[in-house]
Amino acid sequence: MGDAVLQLLQNKGPVSNSSLLDKLRLMASIEPDASRQKALRRAMAEVMNNMQSSRQESVALKDTNNVTHIFRHRDNTGKDTQH
């Protein structure tokens, strides 16, 4: 996964779940080593799980200026709440 992120950064492209998943898929398609292919599949599964959990825990709303605001569910039962 680290190699994929480094390649995205070196190419000055966006580093997002989607671009990382695309890069991992590309790397897996050309990787001849079976153990590295397995590691790439595990990394892809981790990114996909992260994408799914992010969707379930957030709500995106567009305002009148077409700006998207993302609200994430946070558990406020901790002791670090200031208000």
Side-chain angles (χ1 to χ4, degrees):
M1 192 178 305
D3 288 343
V5 171
L6 285 174
Q7 288 180 27
L8 290 172
L9 290 170
Q10 287 171 344
N11 292 334
K12 296 181 177 37
V15 179
S16 64
N17 285 329
S18 181
S19 64
L20 180 56
L21 190 56
D22 289 344
K23 179 57 79 174
L24 290 167
R25 285 182 179 137
L26 176 65
M27 291 171 69
S29 72
I30 59 175
E31 179 57 56
D33 183 60
S35 64
R36 283 185 55 89
Q37 280 186 353
K38 183 178 179 180
L40 287 163
R41 285 194 302 272
R42 284 195 334 253
M44 286 187 283
E46 183 69 28
V47 172
M48 287 187 283
N49 286 338
N50 182 37
M51 290 171 73
Q52 288 174 346
S53 67
S54 292
R55 281 190 208 120
Q56 293 171 354
E57 296 175 359
S58 65
V59 175
L61 299 172
K62 288 192 181 216
D63 66 15
T64 55
N65 296 322
N66 204 30
V67 175
T68 301
H69 301 273
I70 299 175
F71 300 92
R72 300 188 190 285
H73 171 69
R74 292 196 173 109
D75 183 6
N76 290 329
T77 60
K79 295 181 179 182
D80 55 344
T81 303
Q82 300 281 327
H83 50 92

